[in-house]
Amino acid sequence: MRIVIVGLNYAPEPTGIAPYTSAAAQALEARGHDVTVITGYPHYPQWRIADGYQGSSCRSRIKGVDVLRLRHPVPSSGSLAKRLGMELVFGLRATFARWGRPDVVVVVSPALVSSSMAVARARLTGVPVVSWVQDIYTLSASQTRKGSPLAGLVKVVESATLRASSRVLAIHDRFANYLSNGLRVRHERIDVVRNWTHLAASPGRSAETRRRHGWADDETIVLHAGNMGSKQALEHVVQASQLAAKAGARIRFVLLGDGNRRRALEAMGSNACLQYIDPLPDDEFASTLASADILLVNELPGMTEMSVPSKLTSYFNTGLPVLAAVDWSSVTADEVDAAGAGLRVSPGDARDLYDGARQLAGAPGLRAELGAAGLRHRQQVLGEEAAFAGIEASLLRATGHAAVLPEEEDASHDDPVAAPEPIRHVTPKALAREALARQDATDLPLTA
């Protein structure tokens, strides 16, 4: 197939959506397809154009994939309106760029505005289009910007864009349920393909890495990696570090990465139990992650359905425990519980976060048990080959070609769980059965 992928984020961005889009493009190319990527200039998570990228556009070839980059503005704040403005400029440029004659187009959302424009062009030219949903904009607008006049418009645009797509790729079962029930996307057009761990096997704990970051042997390092934006609500992590410093605890909260809230966080003041680390190259990032003691995922209170943090796949890869300051009914809590990989505490509560860190710091046996469970989950559920096969299968279905995976061929029609479902779960058969059984048992509510 000739495939065009339109998405705002791509390598060399080290975190967020870019590693998944990049790996998928390279995997499809390796499987014999002709892949072209239309993307923006690298800007995430620092929210500024990376050094060395000049001009209004540039072309390159990255690991066999042709990449066209189009320059766009980058907002200095997390304003929804400014972000939509960035997407509008990129979307206009991407929509009127030369696509050649693709057999199928893949649009990656976020970004919603550029995705909607690309979907419209594909439909007008009769090209099948697959929308790959990494985050749900409607829920982001409603859960992080309550009362915004843009929230209703976002829902209308997102629903129309996804319903106009030939197929929709969702990264989680609960995403798929919301897309169907909340945004009225037809069940039979949805494929569920889990995100995967894009890092190599964890290098393990490194005394040299700990020394380089100034971490003492008797310190418990609680590390948060990735974007520092509004939905991470890292103010509560800074407050938890202040509690630790006041108590003289040997616990250090480390914020690794960048984002539009970093300056505001730094303005809250420094203390002996708080450290910031700039984004790191892949090898240093992996070593730093593996050399911590506890890995933190922190979310804004009230976030339940909008996203599955991409950092979880990297966290599980380390064999370290996860401390999850998230709503009990959130997708993130579901994922940590399904893996058996961590401890959940209340979001937005610095005291609860600090107490959770103390509990894990004082229980090395529990940390080892939780970390081992997360690593098993990564190995058994989050494999990249199954994901790449699932993405390819969805693209083939969009073009009208049958795509039957080996694990689907021997599915027993006598097993009600293994029987065909309207939403396709592209995972190994046994794991799909377990995922469906868990979903049926929990019957968690969806929020609109």
Side-chain angles (χ1 to χ4, degrees), residues 144-442:
T144 65
R145 294 174 172 88
K146 295 180 180 179
S148 169
L150 288 174
L153 177 60
V154 166
K155 184 172 184 177
V156 170
V157 173
E158 188 163 34
S159 176
T161 299
L162 298 180
R163 286 187 290 114
S165 302
S166 308
R167 298 203 71 79
V168 176
L169 274 171
I171 63 171
H172 199 277
D173 295 302
R174 281 175 56 170
F175 269 35
N177 288 336
Y178 183 81
L179 295 178
S180 178
N181 298 331
L183 297 181
R184 298 187 293 122
V185 180
R186 289 167 56 184
H187 273 70
E188 62 269 22
R189 288 187 177 180
I190 302 174
D191 297 314
V192 177
V193 177
R194 298 298 307 275
N195 277 347
W196 59 95
T197 299
H198 56 271
L199 298 176
S202 175
R205 188 183 181 93
S206 166
E208 179 183 348
T209 296
R210 288 182 69 95
R211 283 196 298 271
R212 185 167 64 249
H213 292 309
W215 301 345
D217 291 340
D218 64 342
E219 271 188 306
T220 298
I221 303 302
V222 182
L223 186 145
H224 178 282
N227 187 41
M228 301 182 193
S230 59
K231 71 181 183 181
Q232 285 76 34
L234 296 175
E235 294 81 4
H236 306 297
V237 179
V238 175
Q239 293 164 0
S241 75
Q242 293 167 348
L243 294 174
K246 185 176 180 180
R250 299 295 289 166
I251 297 174
R252 184 187 301 208
F253 291 87
V254 177
L255 301 180
L256 166 59
D258 206 343
N260 56 36
R261 293 290 299 162
R262 176 160 173 173
R263 289 184 181 178
L265 295 172
E266 291 173 333
M268 293 176 66
S270 61
N271 63 72
C273 295
L274 177 65
Q275 180 181 8
Y276 295 89
I277 299 177
D278 291 336
L280 299 170
D282 282 352
D283 55 344
E284 292 183 38
F285 174 80
S287 179
T288 298
L289 214 62
S291 299
D293 299 290
I294 300 166
L295 299 176
L296 172 65
V297 55
N298 198 84
E299 293 181 348
L300 187 72
M303 282 178 51
T304 56
E305 305 292 333
M306 66 171 284
S307 65
V308 181
S310 59
K311 63 171 61 69
L312 280 182
T313 56
S314 300
Y315 282 8
F316 293 155
N317 195 50
T318 65
L320 294 175
V322 175
L323 180 58
V326 301
D327 269 51
W328 70 270
S329 62
S330 66
V331 176
T332 305
D334 263 9
E335 192 67 9
V336 174
D337 288 347
L343 174 69
R344 195 197 68 80
V345 297
S346 301
D349 188 328
R351 171 61 65 178
D352 207 23
L353 174 57
Y354 170 54
D355 288 344
R358 287 179 56 209
Q359 179 181 342
L360 288 176
L366 175 61
R367 295 205 308 269
E369 180 183 339
L370 295 173
L375 184 57
R376 283 195 300 272
H377 185 76
R378 171 260 184 271
Q379 294 167 340
Q380 296 172 3
V381 179
L382 304 177
E384 62 181 20
E385 286 307 314
F388 297 152
I391 293 169
E392 183 182 42
S394 186
L395 269 59
L396 286 169
R397 293 187 190 109
T399 60
H401 293 83
V404 179
L405 299 181
E407 59 267 25
E408 293 175 339
E409 292 176 350
D410 65 344
S412 171
H413 294 293
D414 296 328
D415 185 341
V417 178
E421 293 287 335
I423 296 174
R424 294 175 180 265
H425 300 270
V426 189
T427 57
K429 182 176 62 177
L431 296 173
R433 291 174 177 172
E434 293 172 7
L436 287 169
R438 283 196 301 270
Q439 180 179 324
D440 290 340
T442 54

Side-chain angles (χ1 to χ4, degrees), residues 6 84 87-88 90-92 94-95 99 107-124 129 131 137 153-154 156-165:
V6 180
L84 293 177
E87 296 181 14
L88 177 62
F90 171 72
L92 285 169
T95 299
W99 288 9
V107 299
V108 185
S109 186
L112 174 62
V113 175
S114 57
S115 294
S116 65
M117 299 170 77
V119 168
R121 170 175 169 174
R123 288 296 299 264
L124 286 172
V129 58
S131 288
Y137 255 73
L153 177 60
V154 166
V156 170
V157 173
E158 188 163 34
S159 176
T161 299
L162 298 180
R163 286 187 290 114
S165 302

